[in-house]
Amino acid sequence: QITLKESGPTLVKPTQTLTLTCSLSGFALGSTGVGVGWIRQPPGKALEWLAVIYWDDNKLYNPSLEREVTITQDTSTNQVVLTVTKTHPVDTATYYCARTVTNLKAFDFWGQGLLVTVSS
Amino acid sequence: DIQLTQSPSFLSASVGDRITITCRASQGIRTSLAWYQQKPGKAPYLLIYGASTLQSQVPSRFSGRGSGTEFTLTIRSLQPEDFATYYCQQFSSSSQGFTFGPGTKVDLK
């Protein structure tokens, strides 16, 4: 059974760095073709893709992001980490991690999401 | 960047109706388009990928068509559990990544 689960702080102050962890089970990060992405959704708004990392450590980032975002993976713990630096209240959103496979070009399994509020 | 637009933004329909949602891409993306359903408080759920391939266990009343810049999602006979928001999403290796459309909310007339 494939599952993903997001964890991290639910409240951060503006300008702080937000670090989120996606814990995976049922599949291995190092498997050929596998990738994990982060997508966020501000309250009442649309989905916004942030970044994706693939089994070969290839990384793609949304070029439209105004905030610096970094994605990394730890194959020994089967986790993917997203950091967002210099957070702003507009970064308040539900953050999802999701699995992709290269030939799918879509996200087939999603975590439940984590609501993060950026506020002083 | 490749942009996606969806029409309509909102759609009121009744159980049993046939509905169609359109997604347009600002550049040609061949068939690298997916559709998701999202219900309030829940994660998105993949319905269709490759523009027309139904994801496993998705009911056959859902179908997708299109290539290049224009795509459609059709629900043949709307069921009560289909009232939700639908998003299209593209992937382009040339533009480096994924993009989601703005969404179409389908509610009960």
PDB file of all heavy atoms in Angstrom, chain A residues 41 45-47 49 54 60-61 63-64 96 104-108 110-111, chain B residues 1 32 34 36 38 42-44 46 49 55 87 89 91 96-98 100 102:
ATOM      1  N   GLN A  41      -1.669  24.670  -1.649  1.00  0.00           N
ATOM      2  CA  GLN A  41      -2.983  25.219  -1.961  1.00  0.00           C
ATOM      3  C   GLN A  41      -3.376  26.222  -0.889  1.00  0.00           C
ATOM      4  O   GLN A  41      -3.773  25.827   0.215  1.00  0.00           O
ATOM      5  CB  GLN A  41      -4.016  24.100  -2.069  1.00  0.00           C
ATOM      6  CG  GLN A  41      -5.379  24.541  -2.528  1.00  0.00           C
ATOM      7  CD  GLN A  41      -6.289  23.358  -2.800  1.00  0.00           C
ATOM      8  OE1 GLN A  41      -6.262  22.350  -2.082  1.00  0.00           O
ATOM      9  NE2 GLN A  41      -7.095  23.459  -3.845  1.00  0.00           N
ATOM     10  N   LYS A  45      -8.112  28.555  -2.693  1.00  0.00           N
ATOM     11  CA  LYS A  45      -7.499  28.843  -3.986  1.00  0.00           C
ATOM     12  C   LYS A  45      -7.053  27.569  -4.708  1.00  0.00           C
ATOM     13  O   LYS A  45      -7.272  26.459  -4.225  1.00  0.00           O
ATOM     14  CB  LYS A  45      -6.322  29.801  -3.802  1.00  0.00           C
ATOM     15  CG  LYS A  45      -6.756  31.163  -3.278  1.00  0.00           C
ATOM     16  CD  LYS A  45      -5.617  32.163  -3.298  1.00  0.00           C
ATOM     17  CE  LYS A  45      -6.099  33.528  -2.850  1.00  0.00           C
ATOM     18  NZ  LYS A  45      -5.003  34.543  -2.882  1.00  0.00           N
ATOM     19  N   ALA A  46      -6.400  27.771  -5.852  1.00  0.00           N
ATOM     20  CA  ALA A  46      -6.025  26.638  -6.694  1.00  0.00           C
ATOM     21  C   ALA A  46      -4.711  25.995  -6.236  1.00  0.00           C
ATOM     22  O   ALA A  46      -3.984  26.533  -5.402  1.00  0.00           O
ATOM     23  CB  ALA A  46      -5.893  27.103  -8.146  1.00  0.00           C
ATOM     24  N   LEU A  47      -4.443  24.861  -6.824  1.00  0.00           N
ATOM     25  CA  LEU A  47      -3.205  24.130  -6.562  1.00  0.00           C
ATOM     26  C   LEU A  47      -2.028  24.831  -7.242  1.00  0.00           C
ATOM     27  O   LEU A  47      -2.163  25.371  -8.345  1.00  0.00           O
ATOM     28  CB  LEU A  47      -3.319  22.704  -7.106  1.00  0.00           C
ATOM     29  CG  LEU A  47      -4.449  21.864  -6.528  1.00  0.00           C
ATOM     30  CD1 LEU A  47      -4.700  20.641  -7.405  1.00  0.00           C
ATOM     31  CD2 LEU A  47      -4.122  21.437  -5.109  1.00  0.00           C
ATOM     32  N   TRP A  49       2.060  23.953  -8.051  1.00  0.00           N
ATOM     33  CA  TRP A  49       3.201  23.049  -7.962  1.00  0.00           C
ATOM     34  C   TRP A  49       4.447  23.836  -7.543  1.00  0.00           C
ATOM     35  O   TRP A  49       4.712  24.924  -8.064  1.00  0.00           O
ATOM     36  CB  TRP A  49       3.432  22.376  -9.318  1.00  0.00           C
ATOM     37  CG  TRP A  49       4.730  21.642  -9.388  1.00  0.00           C
ATOM     38  CD1 TRP A  49       5.051  20.485  -8.734  1.00  0.00           C
ATOM     39  CD2 TRP A  49       5.895  22.033 -10.113  1.00  0.00           C
ATOM     40  NE1 TRP A  49       6.344  20.127  -9.025  1.00  0.00           N
ATOM     41  CE2 TRP A  49       6.883  21.046  -9.864  1.00  0.00           C
ATOM     42  CE3 TRP A  49       6.210  23.099 -10.949  1.00  0.00           C
ATOM     43  CZ2 TRP A  49       8.163  21.111 -10.424  1.00  0.00           C
ATOM     44  CZ3 TRP A  49       7.469  23.167 -11.518  1.00  0.00           C
ATOM     45  CH2 TRP A  49       8.441  22.181 -11.244  1.00  0.00           C
ATOM     46  N   TYR A  54      13.482  13.503  -8.496  1.00  0.00           N
ATOM     47  CA  TYR A  54      13.381  12.174  -9.090  1.00  0.00           C
ATOM     48  C   TYR A  54      14.412  11.219  -8.499  1.00  0.00           C
ATOM     49  O   TYR A  54      15.364  11.635  -7.821  1.00  0.00           O
ATOM     50  CB  TYR A  54      13.529  12.257 -10.604  1.00  0.00           C
ATOM     51  CG  TYR A  54      12.354  12.922 -11.266  1.00  0.00           C
ATOM     52  CD1 TYR A  54      12.395  14.273 -11.622  1.00  0.00           C
ATOM     53  CD2 TYR A  54      11.182  12.211 -11.536  1.00  0.00           C
ATOM     54  CE1 TYR A  54      11.308  14.891 -12.221  1.00  0.00           C
ATOM     55  CE2 TYR A  54      10.103  12.826 -12.144  1.00  0.00           C
ATOM     56  CZ  TYR A  54      10.167  14.158 -12.487  1.00  0.00           C
ATOM     57  OH  TYR A  54       9.096  14.766 -13.079  1.00  0.00           O
ATOM     58  N   LEU A  60      13.379  19.652 -10.278  1.00  0.00           N
ATOM     59  CA  LEU A  60      12.753  20.723 -11.032  1.00  0.00           C
ATOM     60  C   LEU A  60      12.029  21.630 -10.062  1.00  0.00           C
ATOM     61  O   LEU A  60      11.416  21.143  -9.097  1.00  0.00           O
ATOM     62  CB  LEU A  60      11.751  20.167 -12.052  1.00  0.00           C
ATOM     63  CG  LEU A  60      12.294  19.239 -13.143  1.00  0.00           C
ATOM     64  CD1 LEU A  60      11.150  18.693 -13.985  1.00  0.00           C
ATOM     65  CD2 LEU A  60      13.295  19.965 -14.017  1.00  0.00           C
ATOM     66  N   TYR A  61      12.083  22.940 -10.333  1.00  0.00           N
ATOM     67  CA  TYR A  61      11.409  23.916  -9.484  1.00  0.00           C
ATOM     68  C   TYR A  61      10.490  24.785 -10.327  1.00  0.00           C
ATOM     69  O   TYR A  61      10.757  25.050 -11.500  1.00  0.00           O
ATOM     70  CB  TYR A  61      12.444  24.813  -8.794  1.00  0.00           C
ATOM     71  CG  TYR A  61      13.331  24.101  -7.808  1.00  0.00           C
ATOM     72  CD1 TYR A  61      14.602  23.675  -8.167  1.00  0.00           C
ATOM     73  CD2 TYR A  61      12.889  23.846  -6.506  1.00  0.00           C
ATOM     74  CE1 TYR A  61      15.420  23.014  -7.256  1.00  0.00           C
ATOM     75  CE2 TYR A  61      13.703  23.198  -5.589  1.00  0.00           C
ATOM     76  CZ  TYR A  61      14.965  22.781  -5.984  1.00  0.00           C
ATOM     77  OH  TYR A  61      15.769  22.128  -5.075  1.00  0.00           O
ATOM     78  N   PRO A  63       9.440  27.869 -11.849  1.00  0.00           N
ATOM     79  CA  PRO A  63      10.206  29.103 -12.107  1.00  0.00           C
ATOM     80  C   PRO A  63       9.469  30.376 -11.702  1.00  0.00           C
ATOM     81  O   PRO A  63      10.076  31.439 -11.614  1.00  0.00           O
ATOM     82  CB  PRO A  63      10.424  29.058 -13.633  1.00  0.00           C
ATOM     83  CG  PRO A  63       9.321  28.208 -14.149  1.00  0.00           C
ATOM     84  CD  PRO A  63       9.034  27.203 -13.091  1.00  0.00           C
ATOM     85  N   SER A  64       8.178  30.264 -11.426  1.00  0.00           N
ATOM     86  CA  SER A  64       7.387  31.449 -11.074  1.00  0.00           C
ATOM     87  C   SER A  64       7.384  31.749  -9.585  1.00  0.00           C
ATOM     88  O   SER A  64       6.825  32.763  -9.163  1.00  0.00           O
ATOM     89  CB  SER A  64       5.937  31.262 -11.534  1.00  0.00           C
ATOM     90  OG  SER A  64       5.872  31.028 -12.910  1.00  0.00           O
ATOM     91  N   TYR A  96       0.999  19.711   0.178  1.00  0.00           N
ATOM     92  CA  TYR A  96       0.869  18.290  -0.149  1.00  0.00           C
ATOM     93  C   TYR A  96       2.177  17.770  -0.754  1.00  0.00           C
ATOM     94  O   TYR A  96       2.823  18.481  -1.539  1.00  0.00           O
ATOM     95  CB  TYR A  96      -0.213  18.062  -1.204  1.00  0.00           C
ATOM     96  CG  TYR A  96      -1.618  18.420  -0.821  1.00  0.00           C
ATOM     97  CD1 TYR A  96      -2.181  19.625  -1.214  1.00  0.00           C
ATOM     98  CD2 TYR A  96      -2.418  17.532  -0.098  1.00  0.00           C
ATOM     99  CE1 TYR A  96      -3.498  19.947  -0.898  1.00  0.00           C
ATOM    100  CE2 TYR A  96      -3.729  17.839   0.221  1.00  0.00           C
ATOM    101  CZ  TYR A  96      -4.265  19.048  -0.182  1.00  0.00           C
ATOM    102  OH  TYR A  96      -5.559  19.356   0.145  1.00  0.00           O
ATOM    103  N   LEU A 104       4.251   8.849 -16.382  1.00  0.00           N
ATOM    104  CA  LEU A 104       2.898   9.243 -16.009  1.00  0.00           C
ATOM    105  C   LEU A 104       2.692  10.748 -16.218  1.00  0.00           C
ATOM    106  O   LEU A 104       1.631  11.191 -16.652  1.00  0.00           O
ATOM    107  CB  LEU A 104       2.651   8.882 -14.552  1.00  0.00           C
ATOM    108  CG  LEU A 104       1.219   8.797 -14.066  1.00  0.00           C
ATOM    109  CD1 LEU A 104       0.501   7.643 -14.704  1.00  0.00           C
ATOM    110  CD2 LEU A 104       1.180   8.665 -12.552  1.00  0.00           C
ATOM    111  N   LYS A 105       3.706  11.530 -15.874  1.00  0.00           N
ATOM    112  CA  LYS A 105       3.649  13.003 -15.959  1.00  0.00           C
ATOM    113  C   LYS A 105       2.472  13.554 -15.168  1.00  0.00           C
ATOM    114  O   LYS A 105       1.842  14.551 -15.563  1.00  0.00           O
ATOM    115  CB  LYS A 105       3.602  13.453 -17.416  1.00  0.00           C
ATOM    116  CG  LYS A 105       4.831  13.001 -18.202  1.00  0.00           C
ATOM    117  CD  LYS A 105       4.748  13.399 -19.657  1.00  0.00           C
ATOM    118  CE  LYS A 105       5.968  12.871 -20.401  1.00  0.00           C
ATOM    119  NZ  LYS A 105       5.926  13.186 -21.845  1.00  0.00           N
ATOM    120  N   ALA A 106       2.152  12.897 -14.082  1.00  0.00           N
ATOM    121  CA  ALA A 106       1.059  13.305 -13.195  1.00  0.00           C
ATOM    122  C   ALA A 106       1.368  12.748 -11.814  1.00  0.00           C
ATOM    123  O   ALA A 106       2.312  11.978 -11.636  1.00  0.00           O
ATOM    124  CB  ALA A 106      -0.283  12.777 -13.699  1.00  0.00           C
ATOM    125  N   PHE A 107       0.567  13.151 -10.832  1.00  0.00           N
ATOM    126  CA  PHE A 107       0.768  12.716  -9.451  1.00  0.00           C
ATOM    127  C   PHE A 107      -0.313  11.702  -9.091  1.00  0.00           C
ATOM    128  O   PHE A 107      -1.502  12.064  -9.034  1.00  0.00           O
ATOM    129  CB  PHE A 107       0.734  13.917  -8.508  1.00  0.00           C
ATOM    130  CG  PHE A 107       1.852  14.902  -8.761  1.00  0.00           C
ATOM    131  CD1 PHE A 107       1.615  16.064  -9.481  1.00  0.00           C
ATOM    132  CD2 PHE A 107       3.127  14.658  -8.282  1.00  0.00           C
ATOM    133  CE1 PHE A 107       2.649  16.965  -9.726  1.00  0.00           C
ATOM    134  CE2 PHE A 107       4.167  15.552  -8.515  1.00  0.00           C
ATOM    135  CZ  PHE A 107       3.926  16.705  -9.243  1.00  0.00           C
ATOM    136  N   ASP A 108       0.111  10.449  -8.866  1.00  0.00           N
ATOM    137  CA  ASP A 108      -0.890   9.401  -8.686  1.00  0.00           C
ATOM    138  C   ASP A 108      -1.231   9.086  -7.231  1.00  0.00           C
ATOM    139  O   ASP A 108      -2.315   8.563  -6.966  1.00  0.00           O
ATOM    140  CB  ASP A 108      -0.479   8.117  -9.439  1.00  0.00           C
ATOM    141  CG  ASP A 108       0.877   7.566  -9.019  1.00  0.00           C
ATOM    142  OD1 ASP A 108       1.594   8.235  -8.229  1.00  0.00           O
ATOM    143  OD2 ASP A 108       1.215   6.469  -9.493  1.00  0.00           O
ATOM    144  N   TRP A 110      -1.167  10.863  -3.233  1.00  0.00           N
ATOM    145  CA  TRP A 110      -1.004  12.117  -2.514  1.00  0.00           C
ATOM    146  C   TRP A 110      -1.046  11.883  -1.005  1.00  0.00           C
ATOM    147  O   TRP A 110      -1.737  10.979  -0.514  1.00  0.00           O
ATOM    148  CB  TRP A 110      -2.145  13.080  -2.871  1.00  0.00           C
ATOM    149  CG  TRP A 110      -2.132  13.573  -4.275  1.00  0.00           C
ATOM    150  CD1 TRP A 110      -2.306  12.840  -5.418  1.00  0.00           C
ATOM    151  CD2 TRP A 110      -1.958  14.928  -4.688  1.00  0.00           C
ATOM    152  NE1 TRP A 110      -2.243  13.660  -6.523  1.00  0.00           N
ATOM    153  CE2 TRP A 110      -2.034  14.941  -6.106  1.00  0.00           C
ATOM    154  CE3 TRP A 110      -1.755  16.141  -4.020  1.00  0.00           C
ATOM    155  CZ2 TRP A 110      -1.902  16.129  -6.851  1.00  0.00           C
ATOM    156  CZ3 TRP A 110      -1.641  17.309  -4.750  1.00  0.00           C
ATOM    157  CH2 TRP A 110      -1.713  17.295  -6.158  1.00  0.00           C
ATOM    158  N   GLY A 111      -0.316  12.734  -0.283  1.00  0.00           N
ATOM    159  CA  GLY A 111      -0.475  12.767   1.155  1.00  0.00           C
ATOM    160  C   GLY A 111      -1.764  13.477   1.521  1.00  0.00           C
ATOM    161  O   GLY A 111      -2.446  14.043   0.657  1.00  0.00           O
TER     162      GLY A 111
ATOM    163  N   ASP B   1       6.820  30.206 -19.475  1.00  0.00           N
ATOM    164  CA  ASP B   1       6.034  29.212 -18.745  1.00  0.00           C
ATOM    165  C   ASP B   1       4.760  28.882 -19.538  1.00  0.00           C
ATOM    166  O   ASP B   1       4.174  29.734 -20.184  1.00  0.00           O
ATOM    167  CB  ASP B   1       5.609  29.740 -17.380  1.00  0.00           C
ATOM    168  CG  ASP B   1       6.794  30.080 -16.490  1.00  0.00           C
ATOM    169  OD1 ASP B   1       7.926  29.873 -16.942  1.00  0.00           O
ATOM    170  OD2 ASP B   1       6.560  30.554 -15.370  1.00  0.00           O
ATOM    171  N   SER B  32       0.408  15.539 -22.712  1.00  0.00           N
ATOM    172  CA  SER B  32       0.916  15.535 -21.329  1.00  0.00           C
ATOM    173  C   SER B  32      -0.012  16.291 -20.402  1.00  0.00           C
ATOM    174  O   SER B  32       0.374  17.275 -19.756  1.00  0.00           O
ATOM    175  CB  SER B  32       2.329  16.128 -21.295  1.00  0.00           C
ATOM    176  OG  SER B  32       3.213  15.362 -22.073  1.00  0.00           O
ATOM    177  N   ALA B  34      -3.198  15.920 -17.380  1.00  0.00           N
ATOM    178  CA  ALA B  34      -3.903  15.093 -16.404  1.00  0.00           C
ATOM    179  C   ALA B  34      -5.083  15.867 -15.830  1.00  0.00           C
ATOM    180  O   ALA B  34      -5.115  17.096 -15.880  1.00  0.00           O
ATOM    181  CB  ALA B  34      -2.956  14.683 -15.280  1.00  0.00           C
ATOM    182  N   TYR B  36      -7.685  16.002 -12.290  1.00  0.00           N
ATOM    183  CA  TYR B  36      -7.861  15.613 -10.895  1.00  0.00           C
ATOM    184  C   TYR B  36      -9.234  16.065 -10.405  1.00  0.00           C
ATOM    185  O   TYR B  36      -9.768  17.076 -10.859  1.00  0.00           O
ATOM    186  CB  TYR B  36      -6.809  16.284  -9.989  1.00  0.00           C
ATOM    187  CG  TYR B  36      -5.389  15.927 -10.316  1.00  0.00           C
ATOM    188  CD1 TYR B  36      -4.701  16.612 -11.306  1.00  0.00           C
ATOM    189  CD2 TYR B  36      -4.730  14.912  -9.625  1.00  0.00           C
ATOM    190  CE1 TYR B  36      -3.388  16.293 -11.611  1.00  0.00           C
ATOM    191  CE2 TYR B  36      -3.417  14.590  -9.921  1.00  0.00           C
ATOM    192  CZ  TYR B  36      -2.757  15.281 -10.919  1.00  0.00           C
ATOM    193  OH  TYR B  36      -1.453  14.963 -11.214  1.00  0.00           O
ATOM    194  N   GLN B  38     -11.065  17.111  -6.734  1.00  0.00           N
ATOM    195  CA  GLN B  38     -10.771  17.440  -5.341  1.00  0.00           C
ATOM    196  C   GLN B  38     -12.059  17.789  -4.603  1.00  0.00           C
ATOM    197  O   GLN B  38     -12.821  18.639  -5.061  1.00  0.00           O
ATOM    198  CB  GLN B  38      -9.778  18.596  -5.217  1.00  0.00           C
ATOM    199  CG  GLN B  38      -9.335  18.824  -3.772  1.00  0.00           C
ATOM    200  CD  GLN B  38      -8.357  19.979  -3.630  1.00  0.00           C
ATOM    201  OE1 GLN B  38      -8.413  20.958  -4.358  1.00  0.00           O
ATOM    202  NE2 GLN B  38      -7.449  19.850  -2.662  1.00  0.00           N
ATOM    203  N   LYS B  42      -9.948  17.544   1.229  1.00  0.00           N
ATOM    204  CA  LYS B  42      -9.276  16.321   0.799  1.00  0.00           C
ATOM    205  C   LYS B  42      -8.191  16.624  -0.223  1.00  0.00           C
ATOM    206  O   LYS B  42      -8.195  17.671  -0.875  1.00  0.00           O
ATOM    207  CB  LYS B  42     -10.276  15.346   0.166  1.00  0.00           C
ATOM    208  CG  LYS B  42     -11.392  14.916   1.088  1.00  0.00           C
ATOM    209  CD  LYS B  42     -10.872  14.075   2.227  1.00  0.00           C
ATOM    210  CE  LYS B  42     -11.994  13.506   3.072  1.00  0.00           C
ATOM    211  NZ  LYS B  42     -11.474  12.726   4.220  1.00  0.00           N
ATOM    212  N   ALA B  43      -7.253  15.692  -0.360  1.00  0.00           N
ATOM    213  CA  ALA B  43      -6.223  15.821  -1.378  1.00  0.00           C
ATOM    214  C   ALA B  43      -6.822  15.573  -2.763  1.00  0.00           C
ATOM    215  O   ALA B  43      -7.838  14.872  -2.891  1.00  0.00           O
ATOM    216  CB  ALA B  43      -5.101  14.820  -1.114  1.00  0.00           C
ATOM    217  N   PRO B  44      -6.214  16.130  -3.793  1.00  0.00           N
ATOM    218  CA  PRO B  44      -6.667  15.832  -5.165  1.00  0.00           C
ATOM    219  C   PRO B  44      -6.547  14.337  -5.468  1.00  0.00           C
ATOM    220  O   PRO B  44      -5.721  13.637  -4.881  1.00  0.00           O
ATOM    221  CB  PRO B  44      -5.707  16.651  -6.027  1.00  0.00           C
ATOM    222  CG  PRO B  44      -5.254  17.754  -5.131  1.00  0.00           C
ATOM    223  CD  PRO B  44      -5.155  17.132  -3.775  1.00  0.00           C
ATOM    224  N   LEU B  46      -6.261  11.654  -8.728  1.00  0.00           N
ATOM    225  CA  LEU B  46      -5.973  11.559 -10.153  1.00  0.00           C
ATOM    226  C   LEU B  46      -7.064  10.763 -10.876  1.00  0.00           C
ATOM    227  O   LEU B  46      -7.343   9.618 -10.516  1.00  0.00           O
ATOM    228  CB  LEU B  46      -4.609  10.897 -10.364  1.00  0.00           C
ATOM    229  CG  LEU B  46      -4.180  10.678 -11.812  1.00  0.00           C
ATOM    230  CD1 LEU B  46      -4.009  12.015 -12.537  1.00  0.00           C
ATOM    231  CD2 LEU B  46      -2.870   9.871 -11.872  1.00  0.00           C
ATOM    232  N   TYR B  49      -4.737  10.601 -16.984  1.00  0.00           N
ATOM    233  CA  TYR B  49      -3.412  11.068 -17.354  1.00  0.00           C
ATOM    234  C   TYR B  49      -3.201  10.787 -18.832  1.00  0.00           C
ATOM    235  O   TYR B  49      -3.965  10.027 -19.448  1.00  0.00           O
ATOM    236  CB  TYR B  49      -2.321  10.411 -16.495  1.00  0.00           C
ATOM    237  CG  TYR B  49      -2.235   8.908 -16.641  1.00  0.00           C
ATOM    238  CD1 TYR B  49      -1.357   8.325 -17.558  1.00  0.00           C
ATOM    239  CD2 TYR B  49      -3.025   8.068 -15.854  1.00  0.00           C
ATOM    240  CE1 TYR B  49      -1.276   6.961 -17.694  1.00  0.00           C
ATOM    241  CE2 TYR B  49      -2.951   6.694 -15.987  1.00  0.00           C
ATOM    242  CZ  TYR B  49      -2.072   6.137 -16.899  1.00  0.00           C
ATOM    243  OH  TYR B  49      -1.997   4.776 -17.036  1.00  0.00           O
ATOM    244  N   GLN B  55      -7.220   6.522 -14.920  1.00  0.00           N
ATOM    245  CA  GLN B  55      -6.452   5.935 -13.832  1.00  0.00           C
ATOM    246  C   GLN B  55      -7.215   4.730 -13.286  1.00  0.00           C
ATOM    247  O   GLN B  55      -8.452   4.662 -13.357  1.00  0.00           O
ATOM    248  CB  GLN B  55      -6.222   6.990 -12.732  1.00  0.00           C
ATOM    249  CG  GLN B  55      -5.551   6.509 -11.464  1.00  0.00           C
ATOM    250  CD  GLN B  55      -4.082   6.108 -11.639  1.00  0.00           C
ATOM    251  OE1 GLN B  55      -3.647   5.736 -12.736  1.00  0.00           O
ATOM    252  NE2 GLN B  55      -3.319   6.163 -10.573  1.00  0.00           N
ATOM    253  N   TYR B  87      -9.396  19.937 -11.587  1.00  0.00           N
ATOM    254  CA  TYR B  87      -8.203  20.649 -12.036  1.00  0.00           C
ATOM    255  C   TYR B  87      -7.540  19.891 -13.182  1.00  0.00           C
ATOM    256  O   TYR B  87      -7.436  18.653 -13.138  1.00  0.00           O
ATOM    257  CB  TYR B  87      -7.175  20.772 -10.906  1.00  0.00           C
ATOM    258  CG  TYR B  87      -7.581  21.651  -9.764  1.00  0.00           C
ATOM    259  CD1 TYR B  87      -8.197  21.118  -8.629  1.00  0.00           C
ATOM    260  CD2 TYR B  87      -7.350  23.025  -9.796  1.00  0.00           C
ATOM    261  CE1 TYR B  87      -8.571  21.929  -7.565  1.00  0.00           C
ATOM    262  CE2 TYR B  87      -7.718  23.846  -8.729  1.00  0.00           C
ATOM    263  CZ  TYR B  87      -8.323  23.281  -7.631  1.00  0.00           C
ATOM    264  OH  TYR B  87      -8.691  24.095  -6.581  1.00  0.00           O
ATOM    265  N   GLN B  89      -3.806  19.604 -15.278  1.00  0.00           N
ATOM    266  CA  GLN B  89      -2.387  19.770 -14.931  1.00  0.00           C
ATOM    267  C   GLN B  89      -1.565  19.309 -16.112  1.00  0.00           C
ATOM    268  O   GLN B  89      -1.859  18.288 -16.724  1.00  0.00           O
ATOM    269  CB  GLN B  89      -2.047  18.953 -13.683  1.00  0.00           C
ATOM    270  CG  GLN B  89      -0.560  18.808 -13.405  1.00  0.00           C
ATOM    271  CD  GLN B  89      -0.058  17.405 -13.712  1.00  0.00           C
ATOM    272  OE1 GLN B  89      -0.516  16.420 -13.143  1.00  0.00           O
ATOM    273  NE2 GLN B  89       0.920  17.286 -14.608  1.00  0.00           N
ATOM    274  N   PHE B  91       2.490  18.692 -17.814  1.00  0.00           N
ATOM    275  CA  PHE B  91       3.921  18.561 -17.570  1.00  0.00           C
ATOM    276  C   PHE B  91       4.643  18.800 -18.884  1.00  0.00           C
ATOM    277  O   PHE B  91       4.289  18.230 -19.917  1.00  0.00           O
ATOM    278  CB  PHE B  91       4.300  17.176 -17.050  1.00  0.00           C
ATOM    279  CG  PHE B  91       5.796  17.010 -16.940  1.00  0.00           C
ATOM    280  CD1 PHE B  91       6.463  17.503 -15.836  1.00  0.00           C
ATOM    281  CD2 PHE B  91       6.541  16.416 -17.950  1.00  0.00           C
ATOM    282  CE1 PHE B  91       7.845  17.389 -15.719  1.00  0.00           C
ATOM    283  CE2 PHE B  91       7.918  16.294 -17.856  1.00  0.00           C
ATOM    284  CZ  PHE B  91       8.576  16.785 -16.740  1.00  0.00           C
ATOM    285  N   GLN B  96      10.196  22.878 -18.077  1.00  0.00           N
ATOM    286  CA  GLN B  96      10.710  22.506 -16.771  1.00  0.00           C
ATOM    287  C   GLN B  96       9.648  22.389 -15.694  1.00  0.00           C
ATOM    288  O   GLN B  96       9.729  23.066 -14.654  1.00  0.00           O
ATOM    289  CB  GLN B  96      11.789  23.493 -16.325  1.00  0.00           C
ATOM    290  CG  GLN B  96      13.037  23.489 -17.191  1.00  0.00           C
ATOM    291  CD  GLN B  96      13.903  22.275 -16.936  1.00  0.00           C
ATOM    292  OE1 GLN B  96      14.427  22.082 -15.850  1.00  0.00           O
ATOM    293  NE2 GLN B  96      14.037  21.421 -17.935  1.00  0.00           N
ATOM    294  N   GLY B  97       8.701  21.552 -15.932  1.00  0.00           N
ATOM    295  CA  GLY B  97       7.885  21.207 -14.781  1.00  0.00           C
ATOM    296  C   GLY B  97       6.391  21.155 -15.004  1.00  0.00           C
ATOM    297  O   GLY B  97       5.896  21.044 -16.122  1.00  0.00           O
ATOM    298  N   PHE B  98       5.691  21.213 -13.890  1.00  0.00           N
ATOM    299  CA  PHE B  98       4.248  21.026 -13.850  1.00  0.00           C
ATOM    300  C   PHE B  98       3.522  22.363 -13.693  1.00  0.00           C
ATOM    301  O   PHE B  98       4.062  23.303 -13.118  1.00  0.00           O
ATOM    302  CB  PHE B  98       3.867  20.147 -12.644  1.00  0.00           C
ATOM    303  CG  PHE B  98       4.451  18.754 -12.672  1.00  0.00           C
ATOM    304  CD1 PHE B  98       5.738  18.513 -12.208  1.00  0.00           C
ATOM    305  CD2 PHE B  98       3.710  17.687 -13.139  1.00  0.00           C
ATOM    306  CE1 PHE B  98       6.277  17.232 -12.228  1.00  0.00           C
ATOM    307  CE2 PHE B  98       4.234  16.404 -13.158  1.00  0.00           C
ATOM    308  CZ  PHE B  98       5.523  16.184 -12.704  1.00  0.00           C
ATOM    309  N   PHE B 100      -0.702  23.639 -12.848  1.00  0.00           N
ATOM    310  CA  PHE B 100      -2.108  23.311 -12.639  1.00  0.00           C
ATOM    311  C   PHE B 100      -2.982  24.429 -13.217  1.00  0.00           C
ATOM    312  O   PHE B 100      -2.609  25.599 -13.208  1.00  0.00           O
ATOM    313  CB  PHE B 100      -2.420  23.171 -11.147  1.00  0.00           C
ATOM    314  CG  PHE B 100      -1.889  21.895 -10.542  1.00  0.00           C
ATOM    315  CD1 PHE B 100      -0.617  21.856  -9.982  1.00  0.00           C
ATOM    316  CD2 PHE B 100      -2.654  20.747 -10.526  1.00  0.00           C
ATOM    317  CE1 PHE B 100      -0.124  20.698  -9.421  1.00  0.00           C
ATOM    318  CE2 PHE B 100      -2.175  19.568  -9.969  1.00  0.00           C
ATOM    319  CZ  PHE B 100      -0.895  19.552  -9.423  1.00  0.00           C
ATOM    320  N   PRO B 102      -6.665  26.632 -13.078  1.00  0.00           N
ATOM    321  CA  PRO B 102      -7.310  27.352 -11.976  1.00  0.00           C
ATOM    322  C   PRO B 102      -8.481  26.618 -11.344  1.00  0.00           C
ATOM    323  O   PRO B 102      -8.969  27.031 -10.292  1.00  0.00           O
ATOM    324  CB  PRO B 102      -7.780  28.646 -12.640  1.00  0.00           C
ATOM    325  CG  PRO B 102      -7.954  28.277 -14.071  1.00  0.00           C
ATOM    326  CD  PRO B 102      -6.921  27.253 -14.375  1.00  0.00           C
TER     327      PRO B 102
END
